[in-house]
Amino acid sequence: QKEVEQDPGPLSVPEGAIVSLNCTYSNSAFQYFMWYRQYSRKGPELLMYTYSSGNKEDGRFTAQVDKSSKYISLFIRDSQPSDSATYLCAMSFYGQNFVFGPGTRLSVLP
Amino acid sequence: GAVVSQHPSWVICKSGTSVKIECRSLDFQATTMFWYRQFPKQSLMLMATSNEGSKATYEQGVEKDKFLINHASLTLSTLTVTSAHPEDSSFYICSAPRGTAGYEQYFGPGTRLTVT
């Protein structure tokens, strides 16, 4: 079993749709959970981070962490074509030992 | 947000030559930096952890004599690919954590290396 699993997609949605991106993990020691957005041929950009379980909202983005299920999600509301990118989940403990998911490719169609 | 830069953004070199890639944290100090490699449509693969003032820590399977890392200052780490071969062609990305917990990890824009 991989340490972090993520559906690679591609995921295609129409503009304005709500997008749900998910990751599961196996190591219960993870405490910090992050979502990155990576455009083609660019470095990943930190979108959101959360500590432990709970929700966090930032504009159109909402991150959820369910440590009991070892499951994290990123929701994008009112998706835009500019949201088309690869989304990577990442997690760590004590800010060390970052582990990345393989990424989900998202296409938002105008 | 924090800015991490990389230079060059892309480089083409001949097989057998060496290439140096620089990673700089522009507005914060980083005692640790990470080097990743990414193949097309694949996730980031951690190669090594660069530590200011000490030796780098390499991940299993990464040849430390081939991928030389030097963390010369609190804002600069370099990765030198020695005796490059076509199979070393990839996208190399550095990152630096910021904050007390270090979970705010900021990435550079990446360097695309093509070895002919």
Side-chain angles (χ1 to χ4, degrees):
Chain A
Q1 181 186 11
K2 292 184 179 179
E3 206 163 12
V4 178
E5 303 212 38
Q6 186 176 5
D7 187 336
L11 175 64
S12 294
V13 300
E15 184 175 355
I18 296 175
V19 177
S20 173
L21 304 167
N22 311 293
C23 286
T24 58
Y25 62 96
S26 58
N27 190 341
S28 59
F30 288 131
Q31 295 179 308
Y32 299 95
F33 304 90
M34 292 140 280
W35 285 96
Y36 288 83
R37 177 175 62 196
Q38 185 177 23
Y39 291 112
S40 181
R41 302 193 176 194
K42 299 290 185 183
E45 169 194 11
L46 178 63
L47 279 177
M48 298 185 71
Y49 62 85
T50 54
Y51 172 73
S52 195
S53 286
N55 295 355
K56 187 172 184 179
E57 186 174 324
D58 184 1
R60 296 185 295 112
F61 299 90
T62 299
Q64 287 186 352
V65 175
D66 182 347
K67 290 192 70 178
S68 63
S69 301
K70 299 191 184 74
Y71 188 87
I72 69 171
S73 301
L74 177 70
F75 297 96
I76 307 174
R77 292 184 298 280
D78 187 25
S79 56
Q80 303 294 310
S82 59
D83 295 328
S84 299
T86 296
Y87 290 79
L88 303 159
C89 64
M91 43 205 77
S92 71
F93 38 91
Y94 301 112
Q96 302 295 321
N97 302 100
F98 285 84
V99 179
F100 287 85
T104 298
R105 290 169 53 208
L106 171 67
S107 292
V108 181
L109 307 175
Chain B
V3 178
V4 175
S5 71
Q6 274 183 251
H7 178 79
S9 57
W10 62 273
V11 58
I12 301 173
C13 71
K14 292 186 176 181
S15 186
T17 61
S18 295
V19 174
K20 180 186 285 188
I21 302 170
E22 292 185 349
C23 177
R24 295 182 184 271
S25 55
L26 297 184
D27 56 354
F28 67 101
Q29 293 182 333
T31 57
T32 299
M33 291 183 176
F34 301 100
W35 286 96
Y36 295 85
R37 182 162 58 180
Q38 187 176 36
F39 292 104
K41 299 184 179 181
Q42 295 188 23
S43 189
L44 301 166
M45 292 175 48
L46 179 64
M47 298 175 65
T49 302
S50 173
N51 303 299
E52 190 270 336
S54 65
K55 292 182 179 180
T57 305
Y58 291 82
E59 295 299 302
Q60 189 174 10
V62 178
E63 299 175 60
K64 61 181 179 181
D65 294 330
K66 180 170 185 60
F67 298 99
L68 300 179
I69 290 174
N70 182 28
H71 201 135
S73 72
L74 288 172
T75 59
L76 173 64
S77 174
T78 60
L79 168 68
T80 301
V81 183
T82 63
S83 186
H85 288 99
E87 55 265 32
D88 298 324
S89 298
S90 188
F91 193 51
Y92 291 87
I93 309 174
C94 70
S95 72
R98 191 181 77 168
T100 53
Y103 52 78
E104 290 185 58
Q105 190 174 167
Y106 292 90
F107 286 84
T111 297
R112 183 159 303 280
L113 170 64
T114 300
V115 184
T116 60

